[in-house]
Amino acid sequence: MKHRTSACEEQLVFLYRSPEDETDYFTERNIELAKRLALLTGRRFVSEFRSDLEEAPPDAFWFLHGPITPVEARLIGLRGQDFFGGVAERIHAQKSVFHTPLRGSSAIPETFPSSFTNYLLHQGILLPGYTAFTRLEAREAFERLQGAGYRVRFKSALGAGGKGHGIVDTRSTLESKMSRITESELHTYGVVLEANVIGPGGVPPESLSGGWIEVDGRTYSYVGRMSFIPGSPRSDYVGTEIYIGRGSPDKLRPPTYRYWLPLLRMLCAFREANRLLPSFTATRCNYNFVRGYLDHVVAHRQERDTGVVIGATEPTFRAGGATSAELLGMEFLDNNLDVELFHLRSQQLWGKDVNVPAGQNVRVIYEGLSTGKDGIPLPASATVEIIGSRRSR
């Protein structure tokens, strides 16, 4: 690979998993991704590491199963940027940082990054909405959004993959959602209430993503469109089609550039805003977005609000569903200096009737078993398909 060094070749790669993380498909997939990253950077993958069972190895390169806190980073001796993932206070990696609390709130936790959120608000990146840290605040946020004419979406801050989400049209529906949130979770991470976004004709909005990866002094940026299959036995998310190139997001030029330009501008704003997060550092920064129309209660619909909006919905500072495509794209970019952009599709499939894609343009990242929503093991696979590339002009 183009950026191997003798120092890298002496460095060992470990998958770091917190004690509370369960062993599942994602652990097995991340082990395969860690092996691919080690090969890409000229390092050597060793094994999974559990901080509750082992002493941290010195001078390691860490592939993080999930974002870890600055305290955890110090405990394992993580240095500089010798890792893949993110080091952040737990609330900084939750969707609650994408909305401001109600003005005058006295329940905001000390770790909430108000300067970060206010910066994004002034950049026009955030959807109309609030983060609430008490049940009373959640009710007030709901009433304000309804009063402004929006249908309201409720989100648990810790709910990943759409869990803990839902439309709340009435106070009783809100109370039902809130009853599933513990006091500890509410006071520490909050809940999100925001204007719902829909696609044309009321269909679900487009789900987009974008971000950047920094490894050994090199930066790669990407944008993508996510795919979902509702009712899938393991996860509704099934993959992302990405464009990846060298450099920071402002250098990326995907096809239909005008379509992607608002999202690319948002990624540039995130790079600036991240400087405002204390004790934060990340080598993979991914952000999810929705693209569509603000969902109004019919009686309040206003012509000025019927344009397309893009709103940030969730940050991710760990390996994600598209990371297999990201790493393969990085490898191709390193080995093909005359190519400026690669187009790839990641796919994760579940169930006994799933056929793993085949062909010379398909790479199988993982094939094995996963645990379904009902707790029963079922076949699972993660693959990447190479769709195309664009040479430098």
Side-chain angles (χ1 to χ4, degrees):
M1 301 301 167
K2 295 296 185 295
H3 59 294
R4 286 181 178 177
T5 68
S6 57
C8 288
E9 290 169 0
E10 297 172 0
Q11 195 170 34
L12 305 179
V13 177
F14 291 83
L15 174 74
Y16 176 77
R17 184 162 62 93
S18 297
E20 61 268 22
D21 292 330
E22 298 180 0
T23 300
D24 59 4
Y25 155 78
F26 295 104
T27 304
E28 300 301 321
R29 181 205 65 184
N30 284 351
I31 287 175
E32 296 305 315
L33 294 176
K35 290 177 180 178
R36 184 170 289 275
L37 180 65
L39 182 63
L40 171 65
T41 61
R43 295 176 170 87
R44 181 165 66 88
F45 178 78
V46 180
S47 67
E48 179 188 352
F49 170 81
R50 286 288 298 273
S51 60
D52 57 333
L53 302 175
E54 308 167 70
E55 184 176 343
D59 303 329
F61 184 99
W62 298 97
F63 191 101
L64 304 180
H65 185 70
I68 64 175
T69 66
V71 172
E72 288 178 287
R74 288 193 293 272
L75 288 175
I76 63 173
L78 187 149
R79 306 176 310 167
Q81 289 194 320
D82 281 351
F83 68 98
F84 183 90
V87 177
E89 298 293 348
R90 294 203 184 281
I91 194 171
H92 298 170
Q94 310 302 332
K95 56 182 70 67
S96 46
V97 301
F98 283 170
H99 289 292
T100 57
L102 290 165
R103 181 171 295 182
S105 170
S106 60
I108 304 171
E110 290 184 4
T111 53
F112 185 81
S114 296
S115 57
F116 170 89
T117 304
N118 287 331
Y119 177 87
L120 296 180
L121 180 67
H122 293 143
Q123 294 296 313
I125 290 175
L126 307 181
L127 294 171
Y130 302 94
T131 292
F133 293 99
T134 68
R135 299 180 192 280
L136 183 62
E137 287 181 357
R139 296 183 193 112
E140 183 177 346
F142 170 72
E143 291 169 358
R144 286 192 185 188
L145 288 166
Q146 271 210 331
Y150 300 118
R151 291 194 75 196
V152 182
R153 176 168 290 275
F154 174 92
K155 295 180 179 179
S156 161
L158 301 182
K163 296 178 181 178
H165 289 211
I167 298 296
V168 288
D169 284 329
T170 64
R171 275 282 296 270
S172 62
T173 307
L174 173 64
E175 298 300 335
S176 176
K177 295 284 187 185
M178 290 295 297
S179 69
R180 301 167 198 169
I181 307 297
T182 66
E183 291 298 319
S184 174
E185 178 184 340
L186 179 60
H187 296 324
T188 305
Y189 302 108
V191 295
V192 169
L193 293 103
E194 67 184 17
N196 189 48
V197 177
I198 56 175
V203 302
E206 290 183 276
S207 295
L208 308 177
S209 65
W212 61 90
I213 295 171
E214 297 173 329
V215 177
D216 295 338
R218 296 198 177 193
T219 301
Y220 310 81
S221 297
Y222 60 90
V223 292
R225 185 179 288 107
M226 295 184 280
S227 299
F228 298 85
I229 300 179
S232 173
R234 177 63 174 83
S235 169
D236 291 348
Y237 169 81
V238 295
T240 304
E241 189 173 315
I242 72 166
Y243 296 100
I244 184 169
R246 301 178 193 87
S248 54
D250 61 303
K251 302 293 193 300
L252 191 64
R253 292 295 183 272
T256 58
Y257 179 62
R258 286 179 177 269
Y259 172 90
W260 293 107
L261 183 57
L263 190 149
L264 290 168
R265 287 174 173 165
M266 290 182 179
L267 293 179
C268 292
F270 278 121
R271 281 177 71 84
E272 290 299 316
N274 285 348
R275 303 174 194 270
L276 301 173
L277 293 175
S279 305
F280 173 87
T281 181
T283 59
R284 181 187 188 255
C285 292
N286 179 85
Y287 301 91
N288 293 342
F289 303 84
V290 289
R291 183 180 188 274
Y293 303 88
L294 292 175
D295 187 6
H296 291 270
V297 177
V298 175
H300 290 81
R301 189 178 300 277
Q302 299 179 33
E303 186 65 30
R304 63 184 174 85
D305 287 335
T306 57
V308 173
V309 297
I310 298 179
T313 59
E314 188 168 15
T316 308
F317 309 120
R318 55 169 172 77
T323 298
S324 53
E326 296 157 15
L327 294 181
L328 195 60
M330 290 161 57
E331 178 182 330
F332 290 159
L333 288 165
D334 285 358
N335 290 333
N336 298 272
L337 297 181
D338 61 331
V339 174
E340 66 178 7
L341 190 78
F342 274 96
H343 184 192
L344 309 101
R345 179 188 295 114
S346 67
Q347 191 172 53
Q348 55 187 39
L349 302 173
W350 327 87
K352 61 183 180 180
D353 298 324
V354 164
N355 294 315
V356 179
Q360 63 178 6
N361 290 333
V362 174
R363 305 287 188 273
V364 177
I365 305 300
Y366 172 79
E367 190 172 4
L369 293 175
S370 178
T371 302
K373 295 176 181 177
D374 55 5
I376 299 174
L378 72 162
S381 70
T383 60
V384 179
E385 179 184 0
I386 307 150
I387 300 174
S389 62
R390 185 176 70 208
R391 294 189 179 279
S392 304
R393 295 184 179 87

